């Protein structure tokens, strides 16, 4: 996806967040985008790379955030070089469990090949969306690159990998579900988000 196409999506996604009217979004330069990509994957991604971030909220945290709906969350970011345009394209898979509902929920989509930069503090974020107006997430990084910062307004999700109308739901940001901080961990922790056998084998070898 060319940056010219990604930027309007990113601006629209940012518009739903608190203080978004104060944020000034601009295109990253290639050097800035490459630097952010290297931070995400803890090094140059090559032709294919993965990064896994996980958080399981303990009872103490949930007690401090009584309105939080999410009890645990996993994020798998992957990069792969397209054979046709020779560009590195990012995608995401998000998995989580609700606090007061049973079952595993997941979502996935494309993050394009570029990131955008917020002028306030020069923070770089990656905009990731679900097809057919399914919402999406913004992915940033902590300063030490050890955590992913996920921001969302709304994202379409499915229960137990069932992409049908009856299983379709949406995770909507509430008072305590707008921003999630997930810790970087071994890619094997995100294996449950992958259903393709070849990709699962590649993930486990990273």
């Amino acid at each position: 996806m060319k940056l010219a196409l990604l930027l309007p999506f990113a601006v629209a996604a940012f518009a739903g967040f608190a203080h978004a009217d104060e944020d000034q979004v601009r295109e990253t330069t290639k050097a800035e985008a490459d630097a952010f990509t290297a931070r995400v994957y803890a090094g140059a991604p090559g032709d294919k790379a993965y990064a896994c971030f996980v958080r399981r909220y303990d009872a103490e945290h949930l007690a401090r955030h009584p309105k939080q709906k999410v009890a645990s969350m996993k994020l798998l970011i992957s990069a792969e070089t397209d054979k046709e345009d020779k560009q590195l394209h990012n995608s995401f898979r998000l998995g989580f469990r609700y606090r007061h509902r049973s079952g595993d929920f997941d979502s996935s989509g494309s993050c394009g090949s570029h990131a955008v930069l917020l002028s306030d503090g020069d923070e770089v974020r990656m905009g990731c969306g679900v097809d057919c107006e399914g919402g999406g997430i913004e992915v940033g990084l902590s300063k030490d690159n050890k955590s992913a910062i996920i921001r969302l307004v709304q994202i379409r999700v499915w229960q137990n990998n069932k992409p049908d109308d009856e299983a379709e739901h949406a995770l909507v940001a509430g008072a305590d579900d707008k921003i999630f901080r997930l810790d970087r961990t071994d890619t094997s922790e995100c294996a449950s988000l992958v259903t393709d056998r070849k990709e699962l084998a590649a993930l486990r070898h990273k």
Side-chain angles (χ1 to χ4, degrees):
M1 182 184 297
K2 294 183 179 180
L3 188 55
L5 297 178
L6 177 62
L7 194 59
F9 162 78
V11 173
F14 291 165
F17 290 89
H19 308 299
D21 55 336
E22 299 173 7
D23 292 334
Q24 297 297 318
V25 181
R26 72 165 175 83
E27 301 178 13
T28 52
T29 64
K30 184 179 185 305
E32 288 169 335
D34 289 347
F36 181 74
T37 299
R39 290 175 61 202
V40 171
Y41 299 107
D47 290 333
K48 198 162 191 175
Y50 299 93
C52 175
F53 302 88
V54 175
R55 179 79 178 270
R56 298 176 180 88
Y57 294 98
D58 58 25
E60 181 181 353
H61 175 95
L62 294 175
R64 295 197 309 269
H65 299 83
K67 295 183 179 180
Q68 182 171 324
K69 299 186 291 284
V70 172
S72 65
M73 183 176 283
K74 295 181 179 181
L75 173 69
L76 178 67
I77 298 287
S78 59
E80 185 170 8
T81 300
D82 187 274
K83 293 181 180 179
E84 294 184 3
D85 65 15
K86 308 301 181 183
Q87 294 290 319
L88 191 71
H89 293 266
N90 299 288
S91 60
F92 82 99
R93 292 181 179 87
L94 185 73
F96 70 95
R97 288 188 174 184
Y98 280 110
R99 185 175 183 174
H100 300 302
R101 294 174 62 180
S102 61
D104 296 310
F105 292 79
D106 60 87
S107 188
S108 61
S110 172
C111 306
S113 57
H114 297 276
V116 296
L117 187 146
L118 298 178
S119 61
D120 184 13
D122 289 337
E123 181 185 3
V124 180
R125 296 180 194 171
M126 183 185 295
C128 303
V130 180
D131 289 342
C132 301
E133 299 182 354
I137 59 175
E138 299 170 23
V139 181
L141 290 172
S142 60
K143 291 183 179 180
D144 60 7
N145 302 328
K146 293 182 179 180
S147 301
I149 311 299
I150 300 174
R151 292 173 171 83
L152 67 87
V153 174
Q154 178 174 316
I155 185 170
R156 182 181 299 140
V157 300
W158 290 269
Q159 187 173 9
N160 300 319
N161 291 309
K162 295 179 180 178
D164 57 75
D165 292 339
E166 293 183 359
E168 184 181 324
H169 301 274
L171 173 60
V172 179
D176 290 329
D177 294 282
K178 296 177 181 178
I179 302 176
F180 300 91
R181 184 185 181 103
L182 313 186
D183 299 322
R184 187 187 296 273
T185 187
D186 189 270
T187 54
S188 62
E189 288 285 321
C190 288
S192 62
L193 300 176
V194 180
T195 56
D196 182 84
R197 290 185 177 181
K198 290 183 177 180
E199 187 172 9
L200 185 60
L203 176 69
R204 286 173 171 168
H205 281 87
K206 291 294 182 179

